Amino acid sequence: MGIMTPKQVLNMCAEKQVKCIDLRFNDLIGTWQHITIPISELHEDTFEDGIAFDGSSIRGWRSIHESDMLIIPDARTAFIDPFMKETTLVLICNVQDPITRQDYGRDPRNIARKAEAYLRSTGIGDTAYFGPEAEFFVFDDVRFDSGPNFAFYKIDSSEGAWNSGKEEAPNLGYKPRHKEGYFPVPPTDQLQDLRTEMSMNLEACGIKVERHHHEVATAGQCEINYRFDEMVRAGDNMMLFKYIVKNTALKHKKTATFMPKPLFGDNGSGMHVHFSIWKKGQNQMYGDGYAGLSDIALYVIGGLLKHAPALVAITNPTTNSYKRLVPGFEAPVNLAYSARNRSASIRIPVGSQKPEAKRLEFRCPDPASNPYLTFAAMTMAAIDGIQNRIDPKEPLDKDIYDLPPEEKAKVPSTPGSLEQAITNLEKDHEWLLKGDVFTEDVIATWIEWKRKREIDHIRLRPTAQEFALYFDV
């Protein structure tokens, strides 16, 4: 995405013979929404005046009696959509109240913008950089349905280890075994060309790709890494990343999912987030402490670890997230930090020895999260850690699985369910309210939505495995 002014956007539209403008914004839960206007409806003053729409049906947003909203296009986000039949320019938007012209409090992008502003106001730093690594699966078929007397899902992939004996006329083998997808060359890796096409589409839209590869799980688990960016831009990039991955797969009659744990018995998909705070061009994370960290970086770790039991209600926001966050699957369930231990929730990457590269890697989040909320909440936990000089205690450099039981019991873990995480958020969220970044309204709406629309939906329904365990009792 190029950095442009409204006038430059209009010039680009003329140069590229753009026919349509697609205006996108984010619902509270984390899905891109859009409306499309003809090019004749885009003017310079549109970037100031915005375009009215009905916000009553957007998840987690307003009720029907106060539904009118404005979307304000951000010229800096312009890019040409690589999938639309007619040449279409995309603009990511902020959301405002049409009466007061105030930024809407439940707009996730506005929350991230407020977090950036609050960071600057504290004097701690002027920029927070985020480099998320979102894993995903590419499947050939997925079916699911449920009712009062049935429920099922079935996933299939030409790569799936379970298809080694399938009649495929002919079956050519080369199915990655469970936990052995990281990362043999083709023909075992059947998705090389697809990932390359995804990467080229990302580059065409302004996202600088650094590498791509197959991931650990069988059945098409992948990762594409791209360059870090400032908080709001990093949120924009993640939304675009997911859009391009899904639509490139669709073009090839495949389907991509960022669901954290779609397969039983193999690795889930995480979104490790690399994080650093800068001030006046200086990386505030670099110092002469443990693993080359500064005192500020250690306080950041302290804040993240202290608030992690509540923070994961935002960074790991689905019931399915907690089927990934379990011990034994390289999942970062241990609320500790380490320069080497990948089971620790915070790692200091080995390749971050230079001052400009020093950063933390928060390994808990998953790609089902809303990136704007995830990055904003991480920043708020970091600021609280710095302001209160929260001690992260000693690093966990031993292998957690080799620790004696008495030592292992002292290492706190992430919550075991979304319900536990939401309860923790309910009790511990004052740090999110500073600077009016997250509001009580946003927190209450998030908690109510998760409990009523997700947690209750899951806990009230029997599963196939319960029939296997309990039908003959």
Side-chain angles (χ1 to χ4, degrees):
M1 289 181 282
I3 304 294
M4 288 191 284
T5 65
K7 180 170 278 189
Q8 288 171 323
V9 170
L10 293 172
N11 290 340
M12 178 183 179
C13 290
E15 179 188 337
K16 302 286 187 181
Q17 296 185 309
V18 168
K19 300 291 193 299
C20 298
I21 305 294
D22 207 48
L23 303 170
R24 299 188 185 171
F25 58 97
N26 207 265
D27 71 12
L28 187 63
I29 309 307
T31 301
W32 244 358
Q33 311 290 324
H34 75 139
I35 61 174
T36 308
I37 61 173
I39 184 61
S40 59
E41 291 297 306
L42 184 71
H43 312 283
E44 266 196 83
D45 56 10
T46 307
F47 293 88
E48 284 288 331
D49 299 339
I51 291 175
F53 76 104
D54 179 2
S56 63
S57 297
I58 305 301
R59 295 187 302 173
W61 279 22
R62 288 187 155 174
S63 56
I64 194 71
H65 71 279
E66 50 177 10
S67 59
D68 291 337
M69 314 277 303
L70 282 179
I71 43 177
I72 313 297
D74 185 343
R76 297 169 297 174
T77 65
F79 65 92
I80 300 293
D81 191 296
F83 304 106
M84 301 294 187
K85 181 179 177 182
E86 299 293 343
T87 306
T88 300
L89 183 126
V90 177
L91 291 166
I92 301 173
C93 303
N94 301 314
V95 182
Q96 289 186 355
D97 183 295
I99 308 299
T100 65
R101 294 303 303 266
Q102 295 294 307
D103 290 335
Y104 183 43
R106 295 189 200 174
D107 172 16
R109 194 170 193 265
N110 281 335
I111 291 171
R113 291 167 67 212
K114 286 193 290 183
E116 282 188 322
Y118 179 63
L119 174 64
R120 290 191 293 269
S121 77
T122 63
I124 289 168
D126 47 46
T127 309
Y129 286 115
F130 292 86
E133 299 175 344
E135 298 162 338
F136 57 94
F137 280 87
V138 176
F139 297 133
D140 292 297
D141 190 64
V142 57
R143 294 181 289 126
F144 50 90
D145 200 0
S146 66
N149 64 324
F150 75 97
F152 80 93
Y153 71 89
K154 186 160 187 178
I155 293 164
D156 207 1
S157 162
S158 60
E159 275 197 0
W162 55 82
N163 281 327
S164 61
K166 184 180 179 182
E167 181 61 61
E168 292 183 336
N171 188 326
L172 301 177
Y174 298 114
K175 318 289 188 189
R177 289 176 287 273
H178 287 284
K179 294 182 157 294
E180 293 187 27
Y182 194 86
F183 26 52
V185 299
T188 303
D189 177 2
Q190 298 178 23
L191 299 170
Q192 171 73 18
D193 288 342
L194 180 62
R195 289 195 309 273
T196 295
E197 186 175 334
M198 291 171 176
S199 299
M200 292 175 70
N201 284 334
L202 287 164
E203 292 270 0
C205 292
I207 293 180
K208 181 175 173 51
V209 173
E210 295 179 335
R211 64 186 66 85
H212 71 73
H213 56 83
H214 204 286
E215 258 296 342
V216 173
T218 189
Q221 192 183 32
C222 297
E223 183 172 320
I224 301 174
N225 297 146
Y226 58 87
R227 191 168 176 78
F228 64 89
D229 214 327
E230 299 176 21
M231 189 189 311
V232 174
R233 300 275 296 170
D236 295 343
N237 289 346
M238 178 51 64
M239 297 309 301
L240 176 55
F241 174 77
K242 294 170 82 169
Y243 176 79
I244 285 178
V245 164
K246 290 177 181 179
N247 281 282
T248 308
L250 189 68
K251 181 180 169 185
H252 292 271
K253 293 184 168 55
K254 293 180 182 289
T255 184
T257 180
F258 291 87
M259 184 177 174
K261 187 73 171 177
L263 296 183
F264 167 69
D266 214 331
N267 285 42
S269 292
M271 186 180 77
H272 306 155
V273 180
H274 295 254
F275 174 45
S276 62
I277 295 174
W278 289 60
K279 183 177 181 180
K280 297 179 179 177
Q282 298 296 312
N283 187 355
Q284 301 300 291
M285 315 303 270
Y286 181 77
D288 55 8
Y290 172 79
L293 296 174
S294 65
D295 287 345
I296 285 177
L298 291 169
Y299 295 143
V300 167
I301 292 171
L304 289 168
L305 292 178
K306 176 182 177 180
H307 296 300
L311 176 61
V312 294
I314 294 170
T315 65
N316 302 75
T318 70
T319 59
N320 185 254
S321 298
Y322 298 84
K323 291 177 170 60
R324 167 185 168 257
L325 281 183
V326 292
F329 290 88
E330 295 186 21
V333 298
N334 301 298
L335 295 180
Y337 69 104
S338 174
R340 298 191 298 273
N341 196 332
R342 288 179 179 269
S343 66
S345 60
I346 297 175
R347 191 173 73 96
I348 298 88
V350 174
S352 67
Q353 301 311 308
K354 295 179 180 179
E356 63 272 17
K358 185 59 63 179
R359 61 194 185 276
L360 310 176
E361 180 188 11
F362 187 40
R363 295 173 62 81
C364 288
D366 66 53
S369 65
N370 185 326
Y372 299 107
L373 301 185
T374 288
F375 304 155
M378 284 178 59
T379 301
M380 297 306 289
I383 291 172
D384 190 66
I386 296 167
Q387 289 175 333
N388 292 291
R389 303 172 74 86
I390 297 174
D391 182 2
K393 304 297 193 291
E394 293 300 311
L396 179 67
D397 285 334
K398 300 176 183 177
D399 186 339
I400 185 70
Y401 303 114
D402 288 341
L403 288 179
E406 60 273 16
E407 276 193 61
K408 194 171 181 179
K410 295 177 184 176
V411 181
S413 297
T414 52
S417 69
L418 179 61
E419 188 167 16
Q420 290 177 16
I422 286 292
T423 298
N424 292 337
L425 179 64
E426 201 167 38
K427 295 175 182 176
D428 175 33
H429 63 259
E430 292 78 13
W431 49 281
L432 288 168
L433 304 177
K434 294 178 182 178
D436 200 40
V437 174
F438 288 78
T439 62
E440 287 283 10
D441 172 69
V442 166
I443 299 296
T445 301
W446 185 262
I447 289 170
E448 181 183 29
W449 182 278
K450 292 295 172 181
R451 281 197 172 134
K452 291 186 177 179
R453 305 292 186 99
E454 298 180 31
I455 293 168
D456 283 354
H457 278 227
I458 297 300
R459 70 185 179 89
L460 293 173
R461 285 167 167 76
T463 67
Q465 195 60 28
E466 287 174 309
F467 276 83
L469 289 170
Y470 308 129
F471 187 75
D472 61 348
V473 294

